[in-house]
Amino acid sequence: MLAPAGVTVLIVSVVLGGLLSVAAGRSHETQQAAPPEAQPGATQEHGAGHQHGDKDHDHGDSDDAAQMHMHAPVPPEYKSAHVPAAAWTNPRLIAQGKQIHAQRCAVCHGDAGDGKGPAGMALPLKPPDLRDGRMVGEMTGNYWFWRVSEGGAVEPFKSAGSAMPAWKHELSVEDRWAVIVYQHTLSGHEGPHVTSEHPESVMGSHAGHRPDAKAGSDSPAGGASSGTPHGGHRH
Amino acid sequence: MKSFLALALILLPMLASGDEAPIAGTVKAVDAGAKTLTVEARAKGKVRDVVIDIRPTTKIVRFARESVSGQIKEQAAAFEDLRSGWTVSVTTKHEGHREVAEFVRVVHEK
């Protein structure tokens, strides 16, 4: 039996959708290659392919995303770039990091680190919730240092749509350590960034995942060799 | 029939809001004459330059604290304030083949 009202509405919606898609597609093709995120439905797709539990388990973005929680192998030049063990509980450094976070990071990450800063809310790829103890527990110090240093300027985060600045151009190594150790406290951790302090994390259960136990090098490329945090698997 | 109606009611708002996902990226160029921004936008495996028209109706804001310990608030800005290297998030609409900015938010001032 025909259902005139329902069929009519459905036809209208399909036709309208088709017209919108064609219009959007034409515009993007001719308009200096507008990005995919400006296309219909793209915002949902950002998160959809990057949730925990995906088949290929390839997350989106660690820094930029509660929705897109991506881990990627730390590149060789940052393998040794650990945050010094003593830094995690250094009150001076934590206070210094709090100031930097307020001045530089909170606009996107929020004062509380919840990812709800006013600018972050406007991004297609939302910042993560730094209060998430599990996520924080998964981030080894050199991984974190890499993310803060390079932001969204490097792959795979660049292609994923991260708008995070590369802070290495504006913050010294110590300032980056400071902001990391401060943000570490936002997840409720007051001790050092070690497995015993992160019982909720899976950090200790993966080969190659280990918290920072070694003193950091002064530069990302230097210092002692490390394990392969985040390098042994892809979430 | 009810399922058709439900489907249509779900689809219509989604389709109608098709153009509204923001474009985020680094400002590569500011053309004062043409009143356009070129933004290096990143998403889904691609990095592309998008030329965005700025109109008198375009709202442009940056963010600052009301006071040292105050909340971060939007502050009105002008097209002339925008600089290459800054990170922006731009809500746009399509006008013909043009990408027209409705709302420009300065995320980071380099």
Side-chain angles (χ1 to χ4, degrees):
Chain A
M1 178 182 159
L2 287 175
V7 171
T8 303
V9 172
L10 183 63
I11 290 170
V12 168
S13 66
V14 168
V15 170
L16 184 59
L19 288 172
L20 283 170
S21 298
V22 168
R26 184 185 302 136
S27 175
H28 283 288
E29 284 165 14
T30 54
Q31 158 65 35
Q32 291 247 350
E37 71 261 39
Q39 295 175 5
T43 303
Q44 285 90 357
E45 289 170 22
H46 275 301
H50 300 283
Q51 295 166 353
H52 278 280
D54 275 1
K55 282 181 182 176
D56 62 1
H57 215 60
D58 190 5
H59 294 219
D61 191 346
S62 170
D63 80 31
D64 279 348
Q67 297 174 338
M68 280 190 63
H69 180 54
M70 171 191 280
H71 289 287
V74 177
E77 62 269 32
Y78 281 91
K79 282 273 171 69
S80 305
H82 292 281
V83 176
W88 298 101
T89 53
N90 182 320
R92 180 191 63 79
L93 216 51
I94 291 172
Q96 183 179 331
K98 184 177 183 178
Q99 277 197 332
I100 297 168
H101 178 88
Q103 292 165 356
R104 311 282 191 128
C105 311
V107 67
C108 287
H109 288 277
D111 280 320
D114 56 6
K116 295 180 179 172
M121 299 288 281
L123 295 172
L125 201 56
K126 303 289 184 287
D129 186 346
L130 294 169
R131 303 170 307 172
D132 180 344
R134 178 181 164 131
M135 184 200 74
V136 167
E138 288 181 355
M139 293 199 296
T140 52
N142 59 348
Y143 177 85
W144 207 334
F145 187 81
W146 171 46
R147 297 296 295 114
V148 171
S149 299
E150 301 291 346
V154 295
E155 299 295 352
F157 311 103
K158 186 173 186 176
S159 294
S162 172
M164 183 172 171
W167 290 108
K168 68 178 182 181
H169 301 301
E170 298 175 51
L171 297 176
S172 69
V173 169
E174 184 183 288
D175 282 346
R176 279 173 272 161
W177 288 344
V179 79
I180 289 167
V181 299
Y182 170 68
Q183 289 174 344
H184 178 246
T185 69
L186 297 175
S187 61
H189 295 107
E190 295 180 352
H193 193 45
V194 294
T195 305
S196 60
E197 292 286 329
H198 294 283
E200 74 282 27
S201 79
V202 296
M203 180 157 48
S205 64
H206 292 286
H209 263 223
R210 56 185 279 285
D212 281 356
K214 295 183 178 180
S217 63
D218 193 44
S219 74
S225 64
S226 72
T228 54
H230 295 275
H233 72 287
R234 291 177 78 105
H235 287 280
Chain B
M1 175 180 160
K2 283 182 181 176
S3 60
F4 280 147
L5 272 173
L7 183 64
L9 287 172
I10 292 168
L11 283 175
L12 273 171
M14 290 169 65
L15 294 169
S17 62
D19 285 359
E20 295 177 6
I23 296 169
T26 307
V27 177
K28 283 188 72 178
V30 181
D31 188 329
K35 289 266 183 178
T36 61
L37 283 183
T38 303
V39 176
E40 184 187 81
R42 314 155 175 175
K44 299 174 74 178
K46 293 178 180 175
V47 180
R48 297 174 178 177
D49 290 348
V50 186
V51 178
I52 302 171
D53 291 354
I54 304 294
R55 297 280 169 80
T57 54
T58 302
K59 184 178 178 184
I60 303 174
V61 301
R62 49 216 295 197
F63 297 94
R65 289 190 187 275
E66 296 173 307
S67 61
V68 175
S69 57
Q71 287 193 323
I72 300 170
K73 295 284 190 184
E74 284 182 6
Q75 294 186 343
F79 174 72
E80 292 73 24
D81 296 328
L82 301 175
R83 296 285 179 272
S84 295
W86 287 10
T87 304
V88 295
S89 178
V90 188
T91 303
T92 63
K93 62 179 178 182
H94 293 128
E95 282 188 9
H97 300 317
R98 310 294 298 179
E99 197 84 56
V100 178
E102 292 184 314
F103 201 158
V104 179
R105 293 175 177 87
V106 177
V107 175
H108 176 62
E109 300 175 22
K110 195 173 183 178

